Amino acid sequence: MMITANDMMYLRRCVELATEALEAGDQPFGSVLVDGDGHVLHEDRNRANSVDATYHPEIAVAKWAAANMTAEARANAVVYTSGEHCAMCSAAHAWAGLGHIVYVSSSKQLGEWMEEMGVTSTSPINSLSIQEVAPNVSVQGPIAGLDAEVKALQQRAFHRR
Ligand SMILES: [Zn+2]
């Protein structure tokens, strides 16, 4: 599948939400839920510091979808996100029966960036790809060019710690 101009618009919104999270003292991650016709239904950002440690945007949109959409609509929806889902969020996405995922940067990249900066991960869970957790979910990413913007946000977050 090719990345379209609309995909880029949603992905840029994810980066904006990630920036908003960073500026609010949370980790820089943002996600947008789009229906099969291209309408934005819901968006959120990381609120792990301001709400609770499980408040990742990807699980937030999965829970919103489970509560507000039919099974068919969920299957046709696309979740755009600034960083690849963690294992918790991949599982929530799959249990909610959501469709395709497009992410800007991968969990593997995040790990490499942290290593590059000499930062030790504070994550309490293993870093797994979406498909290691949810093999039936179709996935696209990373997005060359935009991933550098996410890297810059992650660098700002690491340097703040
Ligand atoms: Zn997560």
Side-chain angles (χ1 to χ4, degrees):
M1 240 182 292
M2 253 186 59
I3 294 292
T4 66
N6 278 347
D7 291 331
M8 285 306 288
M9 184 178 74
Y10 305 132
L11 291 167
R12 285 189 193 289
R13 179 62 188 147
C14 293
V15 176
E16 263 176 34
L17 288 161
T19 307
E20 193 187 296
L22 181 70
E23 283 164 2
D26 290 299
Q27 293 303 308
F29 296 98
S31 307
V32 175
L33 172 68
V34 176
D35 73 12
D37 298 320
H39 302 113
V40 174
L41 298 181
H42 196 66
E43 56 178 37
D44 212 336
R45 63 165 175 86
N46 184 287
R47 298 177 198 275
N49 292 334
S50 46
V51 180
D52 73 68
T54 68
Y55 206 116
H56 297 181
E58 300 87 355
I59 194 171
V61 299
K63 287 170 90 75
W64 187 91
N68 294 286
M69 297 170 76
T70 64
E72 192 191 346
R74 290 196 299 275
N76 290 322
V78 179
V79 173
Y80 295 86
T81 192
S82 63
E84 182 176 4
H85 291 45
C86 75
M88 170 182 76
C89 297
S90 297
H93 183 98
W95 279 116
L98 280 162
H100 192 57
I101 293 174
V102 188
Y103 59 77
V104 176
S105 62
S106 67
S107 300
K108 185 167 172 281
Q109 283 178 304
L110 183 62
E112 287 165 2
W113 298 338
M114 292 181 76
E115 205 177 298
E116 211 176 284
M117 285 178 272
V119 181
T120 312
S121 173
T122 54
S123 170
I125 61 173
N126 286 332
S127 175
L128 302 173
S129 71
I130 292 166
Q131 289 187 320
E132 283 175 293
V133 178
N136 298 327
V137 175
S138 69
V139 174
Q140 259 175 305
I143 308 299
L146 209 50
D147 59 356
E149 289 183 34
V150 171
K151 182 179 182 180
L153 290 176
Q154 293 295 345
Q155 284 171 324
R156 280 173 61 193
F158 297 146
H159 290 138
R160 187 174 61 189
R161 294 207 297 225

